[in-house]
């Protein structure tokens, strides 16, 4: 395999060769996971005006139900063709960012299960194998520990691998490689090696995917020294974080949520990246700071509409960088509002919220006028039944109630 990866940088010209063409309809996929992927890859376009189009080619659109993924605030109707930039779904934004970086830097390569001609379980790598060839977009066996370790070794030799976990829960099989190798080799080698690797994939509570496919591994990975963690929540920051992670000299884990892949947003045509260590101010406010990330950003924004109608002015921050925290942005907000609510989909015990609570208490305790409140998922395996699954995750009504309690 070392010989294969040493030649990856020269693999780009192969993509134009007729011998590399491939008919995905004739390919054979792994029986363990590919069929389950087809079921959950239903296509529902979530537009910024709060409309869900279950079939963009013709079916009538319908309003979002109350417990669905929240969208941005309603905006005046305008012709999309008159606006600058281009519209992309979140998974397409990830794909575009990855493709641009592979075009810019021949050291960038992709590996994982079904990432090649199948295009990945959520189509983030669609079309890349045809364009860049099989050496730079490598389909691997169902062996997360093996191909994760292989990617880390490739990074040590000068490549910039992007490793896809078909589901974040599967990466627990590669925990040894991520912890003892990916996070520590720069230190244990005395600085002789850098590990510029990106580990990414879908996670979070979806729609009745069961406990093993609803994992939130932020709490698992946050304790590993030497690793950065970011979570995307919009097409814009998904592309920007992907590009920044690939360019980073540090190992970066990029968390994507299964229910956000079909969010749509207009992106600029110009090249851009997002800061890996910077939070995003989603909504300025005065009364309380709400810190959140990933899918919970939209639950918070749903709750914010109700809170505004009740006379509250919440400040919403998408922390984005899960490790390290952007304490500059967070601290300035705490100094202004003096109250903090943390909303996460991670588990309550040992989760991101617990670490964030500790960081705020240590650094800004004197500015707090009320105890920090944290809303997290319950410490139970995610149920398969839809009604029970919903109960385990924070809902907008709970956020409204929490803000009312904090602001009393």
């Amino acid at each position: 395999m070392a010989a294969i990866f040493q030649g990856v940088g020269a693999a780009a010209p192969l993509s134009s060769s007729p011998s590399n063409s491939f008919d995905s309809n004739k390919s054979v996929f792994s029986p363990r996971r590919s069929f389950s992927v087809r079921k959950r890859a239903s296509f529902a376009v979530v537009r910024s005006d709060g409309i869900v189009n279950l079939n963009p080619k013709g079916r009538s659109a319908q309003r979002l139900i109350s417990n669905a993924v929240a969208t941005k605030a309603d905006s005046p109707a305008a012709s999309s063709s008159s606006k600058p930039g281009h519209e992309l779904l979140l998974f397409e934004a990830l794909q575009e960012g990855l493709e641009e970086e592979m075009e810019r830097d021949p050291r960038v390569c992709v590996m994982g299960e079904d990432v090649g001609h199948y295009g990945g379980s959520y189509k983030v790598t669609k079309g890349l194998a045809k364009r860049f060839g099989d050496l730079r977009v490598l389909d691997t066996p169902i062996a997360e520990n093996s191909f994760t370790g292989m990617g880390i070794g490739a990074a040590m030799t000068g490549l910039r691998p992007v490793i896809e976990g078909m589901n974040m829960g599967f990466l627990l099989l590669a925990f040894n490689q991520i912890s003892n190798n990916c996070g520590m080799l720069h230190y244990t080698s005395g600085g002789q090696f850098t590990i510029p690797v990106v580990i990414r994939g879908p996670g979070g509570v979806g729609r009745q995917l069961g406990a093993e496919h609803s994992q939130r591994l932020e709490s698992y990975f946050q304790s590993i020294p030497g690793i950065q963690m970011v979570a995307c929540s919009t097409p814009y920051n998904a592309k920007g974080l992907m590009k920044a992670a690939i360019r980073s000299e540090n190992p970066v884990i990029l968390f994507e949520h299964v229910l956000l892949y079909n969010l749509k947003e207009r992106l600029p045509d110009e090249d851009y990246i997002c800061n890996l260590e910077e939070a995003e101010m989603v909504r300025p406010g005065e009364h309380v700071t709400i810190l959140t990330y990933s899918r919970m950003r939209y639950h918070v924004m749903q709750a914010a509409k109700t809170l505004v109608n009740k006379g509250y002015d919440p400040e919403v921050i998408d922390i984005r960088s899960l490790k390290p925290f952007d304490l500059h942005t967070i601290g300035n907000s705490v100094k202004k509002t003096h109250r903090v609510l943390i909303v996460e989909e991670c588990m309550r015990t040992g989760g991101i919220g617990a670490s964030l609570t500790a960081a705020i208490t240590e650094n800004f305790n004197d500015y707090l006028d009320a105890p920090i409140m944290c809303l997290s998922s319950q410490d139970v395996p995610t149920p398969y039944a839809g009604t029970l699954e919903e109960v385990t995750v924070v809902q907008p009504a709970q956020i409204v109630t929490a803000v009312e309690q904090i602001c009393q």
Side-chain angles (χ1 to χ4, degrees):
M1 292 310 298
I4 291 178
F5 281 113
Q6 291 293 343
V8 170
L14 295 176
S15 61
S16 60
S17 171
S19 62
N20 285 324
S21 61
F22 188 90
D23 185 356
S24 61
N25 294 326
K26 298 180 180 179
S27 59
V28 179
F29 308 112
S30 59
R32 192 182 84 177
R33 293 175 189 163
S34 296
F35 296 125
S36 62
V37 166
R38 293 174 184 268
K39 179 179 179 181
R40 65 175 184 265
S42 58
F43 201 78
V45 176
V46 184
R47 299 186 59 88
S48 60
D49 56 3
I51 298 293
V52 176
N53 192 346
L54 297 177
N55 185 352
K57 295 184 179 180
R59 290 187 184 178
S60 59
Q62 60 185 14
R63 282 286 172 185
L64 284 170
I65 58 176
S66 59
N67 63 346
V69 175
T71 61
K72 296 180 180 178
D74 293 341
S75 56
S79 173
S80 59
S81 60
S82 64
K83 298 179 181 179
H86 55 289
E87 278 193 342
L88 289 178
L89 303 175
L90 190 143
F91 80 89
E92 294 173 326
L94 289 166
Q95 190 273 339
E96 184 175 85
L98 180 54
E99 184 174 16
E100 289 176 3
E101 291 305 299
M102 293 185 73
E103 179 69 28
R104 188 186 69 88
D105 188 345
R107 297 174 297 170
V108 179
C109 55
V110 181
M111 61 186 69
E113 299 154 357
D114 288 342
V115 299
H117 299 284
Y118 183 64
S121 57
Y122 289 90
K123 302 307 177 186
V124 173
T125 57
K126 182 180 180 180
L128 297 184
K130 184 175 182 180
R131 179 173 181 184
F132 296 104
D134 292 338
L135 288 179
R136 293 187 66 188
V137 186
L138 183 65
D139 273 325
T140 65
I142 302 174
E144 284 77 8
N145 57 344
S146 298
F147 68 73
T148 301
M150 182 171 62
I152 295 167
M156 294 173 66
T157 65
L159 300 182
R160 309 186 82 86
V162 178
I163 302 170
E164 175 179 309
M166 184 179 284
N167 183 281
M168 273 295 183
F170 302 156
L171 289 178
L172 288 175
L173 297 169
F175 194 85
N176 176 63
Q177 285 72 21
I178 296 172
S179 175
N180 288 326
N181 301 145
C182 188
M184 298 185 185
L185 275 171
H186 179 66
Y187 171 77
T188 56
S189 68
Q192 296 181 75
F193 295 106
T194 57
I195 316 295
V197 63
V198 178
I199 300 173
R200 53 153 297 270
V205 179
R207 292 280 186 264
Q208 295 184 264
L209 300 181
E212 293 182 5
H213 289 71
S214 302
Q215 293 274 35
R216 289 133 286 176
L217 299 188
E218 303 97 298
S219 59
Y220 290 69
F221 293 132
Q222 68 172 330
S223 61
I224 301 175
I227 284 181
Q228 287 186 264
M229 303 195 312
V230 292
C232 60
S233 55
T234 69
Y236 180 87
N237 66 39
K239 178 181 177 180
L241 292 173
M242 170 71 86
K243 292 170 70 71
I246 292 173
R247 298 183 190 187
S248 174
E249 295 299 323
N250 299 313
V252 180
I253 301 179
L254 173 59
F255 292 93
E256 306 156 13
H257 200 287
V258 292
L259 293 183
L260 300 185
Y261 278 126
N262 289 327
L263 287 179
K264 180 178 283 189
E265 187 178 17
R266 183 166 292 276
L267 305 187
D269 293 325
E270 299 78 15
D271 186 39
Y272 72 92
I273 63 172
C274 294
N275 192 324
L276 290 176
E277 300 179 10
E278 187 175 293
E280 177 186 349
M281 179 66 68
V282 180
R283 184 192 188 279
E286 299 289 338
H287 294 162
V288 60
T289 297
I290 304 181
L291 304 174
T292 188
Y293 64 94
S294 191
R295 176 196 177 195
M296 287 296 109
R297 166 177 175 153
Y298 298 96
H299 281 212
V300 168
M301 291 307 293
Q302 274 190 348
K305 294 180 181 180
T306 302
L307 290 168
V308 169
N309 292 334
K310 292 188 173 189
Y312 297 98
D313 186 17
E315 179 154 290
V316 180
I317 296 177
D318 184 343
I319 62 174
R320 289 199 314 203
S321 176
L322 308 184
K323 184 183 179 183
F325 296 130
D326 179 6
L327 292 180
H328 175 74
T329 300
I330 294 170
N332 286 339
S333 179
V334 173
K335 292 173 184 179
K336 177 174 62 173
T337 66
H338 309 291
R339 294 172 175 84
V340 177
L341 172 64
I342 301 169
V343 181
E344 63 175 345
E345 197 180 87
C346 197
M347 299 300 186
R348 182 171 185 82
T349 301
I352 296 297
S355 297
L356 195 52
T357 299
I360 295 171
T361 302
E362 291 173 1
N363 292 277
F364 310 109
N365 187 60
D366 290 343
Y367 296 95
L368 294 173
D369 289 343
I372 299 172
M373 185 174 291
C374 182
L375 298 178
S376 311
S377 293
Q378 296 185 32
D379 288 333
V380 297
T382 303
Y384 174 77
T387 52
L388 296 178
E389 178 185 68
E390 183 179 326
V391 171
T392 67
V393 179
V394 179
Q395 299 299 325
Q398 296 171 267
I399 301 171
V400 173
T401 300
V403 170
E404 290 175 334
Q405 293 176 1
I406 293 175
C407 294
Q408 284 180 351

